Amino acid sequence: MAQEKEYILNESFKALLESIFSNPEQSQKLIKAFEELVNGRATTQRLNFENLKNQTIEEIRQELVSKDLFQSEIKRLENLIYSEVARLEGIINTKIAEIKTEIAEIKTEIAEIKTEIAEIKTEFSEQISSAKQKALYWLLGTAVATTVTILSSVWTMMNFMLESLK
């Protein structure tokens, strides 16, 4: 059987332990207890740091995912992401098509409104023109009536004067 290495506490750690108690005897007992623990005499099963290290490494290896499993999981996630992106692109493209349809409908309505405005302008222009023509006829009628009235008044006065002179 290989000779076990005995561990001895360094002086700075011993000084730290001695500073915990004011009684030097208690400090020495604490130092002795630490040396027993470190050297494996404090337990019924000898602590072997190499065995603990190997056991820990093995447990970590078992917990770690293998490279192939990791790559397959990454591939699965990539495929999931690509399918989700494709689904979202489809939704976005559908919404864009709907918006384009709505825009086309709005453009059609705007064109119809422009046509209606043009018709209203034409009708309004016709009504203004008709009103101008009626106003002109009324003005001409009034001018003729006024002229006739003036002429008949003048005629009546002249006739009266001529009658008076006779």
Side-chain angles (χ1 to χ4, degrees):
M1 186 173 196
Q3 186 177 10
E4 298 279 334
K5 185 175 183 183
E6 185 156 323
Y7 297 100
I8 299 173
L9 301 176
N10 68 29
E11 293 303 314
S12 63
F13 187 70
K14 285 181 182 179
L16 176 66
L17 293 176
E18 287 174 354
S19 68
I20 293 175
F21 297 106
S22 58
N23 184 346
E25 186 179 315
Q26 288 178 333
S27 298
Q28 288 302 318
K29 286 181 183 178
L30 184 60
I31 290 170
K32 183 74 173 161
F34 267 105
E35 285 178 347
E36 290 293 317
L37 180 65
V38 168
N39 288 313
R41 294 185 294 257
T43 61
T44 56
Q45 182 181 3
R46 181 108 172 119
L47 293 176
N48 185 336
F49 289 110
E50 189 64 31
N51 287 343
L52 284 175
K53 181 178 107 178
N54 291 337
Q55 184 180 0
T56 304
I57 289 172
E58 185 59 34
E59 287 177 8
I60 290 172
R61 280 187 185 146
Q62 289 175 0
E63 291 295 321
L64 291 177
V65 178
S66 72
K67 182 179 176 182
D68 292 337
L69 181 62
F70 180 75
Q71 287 177 346
S72 70
E73 187 63 19
I74 292 294
K75 205 52 142 171
R76 185 187 70 78
L77 289 174
E78 283 177 351
N79 291 336
L80 182 65
I81 289 170
Y82 289 140
S83 66
E84 187 64 17
V85 167
R87 185 184 72 81
L88 291 175
E89 282 178 346
I91 291 172
I92 290 170
N93 289 334
T94 302
K95 292 296 181 185
I96 288 172
E98 290 174 3
I99 290 170
K100 284 181 179 179
T101 303
E102 289 176 9
I103 288 172
E105 290 172 359
I106 290 170
K107 285 181 178 180
T108 303
E109 289 178 15
I110 289 172
E112 290 172 359
I113 290 171
K114 284 181 178 179
T115 304
E116 289 176 10
I117 289 173
E119 290 172 0
I120 290 170
K121 280 183 178 179
T122 303
E123 186 178 324
F124 191 65
S125 294
E126 288 172 359
Q127 287 179 358
I128 288 175
S129 187
S130 174
K132 283 180 182 177
Q133 189 177 14
K134 286 179 183 176
L136 185 60
Y137 288 152
W138 181 81
L139 185 60
L140 286 174
T142 305
V144 168
T146 304
T147 305
V148 168
T149 304
I150 291 173
L151 286 175
S152 68
S153 297
V154 169
W155 175 259
T156 304
M157 285 187 352
M158 282 176 82
N159 205 8
F160 177 74
M161 289 178 93
L162 283 175
E163 287 290 321
S164 299
L165 288 176
K166 281 190 191 177

